[in-house]
Amino acid sequence: MTPTRYAFIKAGWHADIVDRALEGFQQLIPADQIDVFDVPGAFEMPLLSRDLAATGRYAAVIAAAFVVDGGIYRHEFVAQAVVDGLMRAGMDTGVPVLSVSLTPHHYQETEHHTQIYRAHFVEKGREAARAALMIGKTRAALAA
């Protein structure tokens, strides 16, 4: 039997933006089919994604984060490590692990930028839901 539950991981940094992805996801997948997990930041998502996928309870695992240049470290390295880890979690477990992890080239903590990315994360959440449903449908057809 194919699982009908979804795991949704949210990174805590910029939660006011990241949490919008869950809102978009819930526009297509009912909230009662989604288990939500919070992590401190993007770097913690791959390990939890792998652990959740390995349980066999989920049709897909979705991981959402907003990785920005804080001026202290090279955010591109963090973003690349996260995306690589999420891909590896999916490949190792055979469960789709989808990323809603964005790394803008230019982000300033202004109301204008915040509103742009809040809206963008809603759309990215919807895109993740569509992808999860499509992958599930395709894999079910392959199994038949």
Side-chain angles (χ1 to χ4, degrees):
M1 187 166 131
T2 303
T4 58
R5 298 200 62 72
Y6 298 86
F8 198 102
I9 302 169
K10 300 183 295 123
W13 284 96
H14 299 283
D16 59 317
I17 294 171
V18 174
D19 290 356
R20 304 295 78 77
L22 178 59
E23 290 175 15
F25 194 79
Q26 290 173 334
Q27 290 175 2
L28 289 130
I29 296 178
D32 63 357
Q33 289 181 250
I34 306 166
D35 293 333
V36 179
F37 301 88
D38 292 302
V39 293
F43 202 72
E44 291 79 22
M45 294 189 314
L47 180 62
L48 183 57
S49 293
R50 186 207 57 197
D51 292 348
L52 291 168
T55 68
R57 294 182 200 145
Y58 300 106
V61 176
I62 296 77
F66 192 50
V67 182
V68 300
D69 185 354
I72 297 172
Y73 60 87
R74 295 296 301 236
H75 67 290
E76 297 94 346
F77 296 134
V78 172
Q80 189 64 54
V82 169
V83 171
D84 288 348
L86 294 175
M87 180 60 71
R88 181 174 166 202
M91 297 299 290
D92 287 353
T93 63
V95 174
V97 176
L98 307 174
S99 174
V100 181
S101 302
L102 302 180
T103 307
H105 286 285
H106 303 288
Y107 173 71
Q108 298 170 356
E109 292 193 52
T110 64
E111 186 60 28
H112 176 71
H113 272 196
T114 299
Q115 290 307 317
I116 288 170
Y117 285 104
R118 284 170 59 96
H120 190 60
F121 264 75
V122 172
E123 178 55 31
K124 297 308 281 183
R126 285 191 295 260
E127 289 175 6
R130 284 192 287 274
L133 293 168
M134 182 182 291
I135 292 168
K137 183 178 176 182
T138 301
R139 292 181 94 191
L142 287 172

